[in-house]
Amino acid sequence: MEPDYAAGCAYTMDEYVPVKDAHISILDMGFSRSDCTYDVVAVWDGGFFRLDDHLARFARSCECLQLRTPHTLGDIATILTECVRRSGLRAAYVEMILTRGVPQAGERDPRRVTNRFHAYAIPYVWIANEDQRARGLHLVVARSVERISARALDPTVKNFHWGDLVRGLFEAYERAADTAVLVDANGYLTEGPGFNVFACYRGQLITPADGALHGITRQTVLELAAQIGVAARVGRVEPEMLTQASEIFLTSTAGGVMPVTLLDGQPVGDGSPGSLTLRLRELYWQAHRDGQWVTPVDYRTPRRVAP
Ligand SMILES: *Cc1c(COP(=O)(O)O)cnc(C)c1O
């Protein structure tokens, strides 16, 4: 009998398994050292959104960490597609991970470890729940923790070093907010747990240039803004610019464009989701229905990678 993949399908150790049965070794340095990278691409309405961009970022991340995938990007696309196909999910959160792997007993040289590829598709994940998306998120600028230095950890490589981001989340909850954005050692805004941040400041959109992942949703928003003639740029963002912003929103593959309506307990603009934010959110989802960035999944035809 075919296993039940409805809750999600994973690929690990060259096998497809129901996601609940997917395991990695406790000795994998991806687990014991956070020595790994990953990427997340969404499937919406049965199609991948900007798959090639996610694959390209993943390849670059691997290269930056001197990780080598056992698969070509074409094979990775095949594996991700097969995970989605087996799950039957029309809206999915699809993750690919490359871990350093399991060292021989006593081996501590990362060059001497065979890297391992893992992937899975599960139902689409939202950073913000339905209520939060409707009313707008309550955001704080974290005071108790700063973003790990970009000189210590390259923030343009998607990674699992979430110690600072998780501390930010706990601070947000303590301050009765939903989530937090972190500043760097110089006091400039960076990003939050799994999202980039945008402010509409003096009529222009701005998002932090440094200290943040080059989010593909961020890129999409920059491109959509250009299409509708709204000035948008990456640059240095000071917390005061957020305080004075007429609109704030967050961007992530896990949720798209999400309005922020309270900042450090104070209303943003008139306290309701901003009109530009809503327009960009609409265009963002519209882009999932238009063809340009969409790679449809063929749910009927099984696909294999060459062994
Ligand atoms: C994934 C992630 C983002 C958002 O990137 P997208 O490509 O838009 O999903 C932003 N910041 C961090 C730390 C992330 O992990």
Side-chain angles (χ1 to χ4, degrees):
M1 208 179 80
E2 263 288 280
D4 183 6
Y5 294 116
C9 174
Y11 176 90
T12 186
M13 302 308 288
D14 305 318
E15 259 184 2
Y16 294 96
V17 290
V19 73
K20 69 170 174 29
D21 299 327
H23 302 289
I24 67 158
S25 167
I26 203 166
L27 298 175
D28 193 312
M29 292 166 88
F31 174 71
S32 62
R33 303 274 194 273
S34 270
D35 191 356
C36 58
T37 188
Y38 76 112
D39 216 288
V40 176
V41 55
V43 165
W44 195 255
D45 272 345
F48 284 99
F49 189 65
R50 302 195 74 154
L51 177 59
D52 291 344
D53 296 304
H54 286 276
L55 290 173
R57 184 173 67 183
F58 182 63
R60 178 187 172 275
S61 295
C62 293
E63 202 173 294
C64 289
L65 298 182
Q66 307 205 41
L67 287 162
R68 261 190 308 276
T69 81
H71 303 292
T72 63
L73 288 188
D75 281 351
I76 292 175
T78 299
I79 292 165
L80 300 180
T81 304
E82 184 62 14
C83 285
V84 175
R85 192 194 70 76
R86 290 191 188 211
S87 74
L89 292 164
R90 311 287 301 180
Y93 175 101
V94 184
E95 182 154 328
M96 63 206 94
I97 312 168
L98 191 65
T99 60
R100 184 67 63 192
V102 175
Q104 301 279 318
E107 180 59 73
R108 298 180 68 83
D109 181 341
R111 294 171 303 183
R112 297 171 60 86
V113 184
T114 304
N115 307 153
R116 288 188 176 175
F117 179 79
H118 320 263
Y120 61 83
I122 55 173
Y124 187 83
V125 170
W126 299 88
I127 279 185
N129 65 35
E130 206 171 336
D131 176 48
Q132 292 168 332
R133 298 198 301 277
R135 65 159 156 83
L137 283 154
H138 299 172
L139 179 73
V140 294
V141 179
R143 297 172 186 145
S144 63
V145 57
E146 69 181 34
R147 188 81 173 109
I148 188 171
S149 161
R151 290 188 302 275
L153 182 72
D154 182 348
T156 69
V157 173
K158 207 164 166 72
N159 66 77
F160 287 153
H161 297 261
W162 272 45
D164 51 356
L165 299 172
V166 170
R167 281 178 64 188
L169 271 180
F170 276 106
E171 179 182 329
Y173 302 149
E174 227 157 74
R175 294 169 62 191
D178 301 314
T179 193
V181 60
L182 272 54
V183 296
D184 65 17
N186 298 315
Y188 296 112
L189 288 170
T190 62
E191 61 185 340
F195 58 79
N196 292 110
V197 60
F198 279 81
C200 184
Y201 176 73
R202 295 186 177 160
Q204 292 194 357
L205 287 176
I206 185 162
T207 187
D210 299 318
L213 184 75
H214 295 166
I216 289 171
T217 319
R218 167 190 187 254
Q219 184 59 32
T220 303
V221 164
L222 292 170
E223 291 171 24
L224 291 172
Q227 280 175 24
I228 59 171
V230 169
R233 65 189 178 92
V234 298
R236 274 192 179 164
V237 185
E238 294 168 26
E240 292 71 38
M241 294 162 76
L242 270 199
T243 315
Q244 290 171 37
S246 56
E247 300 186 24
I248 300 173
F249 60 85
L250 312 179
T251 63
S252 168
T253 294
V257 176
M258 294 163 283
V260 170
T261 47
L262 268 189
L263 176 74
D264 292 332
Q266 299 299 313
V268 178
D270 67 3
S272 57
S275 55
L276 178 58
T277 303
L278 295 179
R279 191 163 167 219
L280 287 165
R281 180 165 78 182
E282 179 56 34
L283 290 170
Y284 178 77
W285 291 107
Q286 183 62 46
H288 288 65
R289 294 186 284 271
D290 302 341
Q292 188 198 357
W293 281 320
V294 179
T295 309
V297 175
D298 175 356
Y299 287 83
R300 277 172 310 194
T301 317
R303 299 180 63 184
R304 286 173 171 280
V305 294

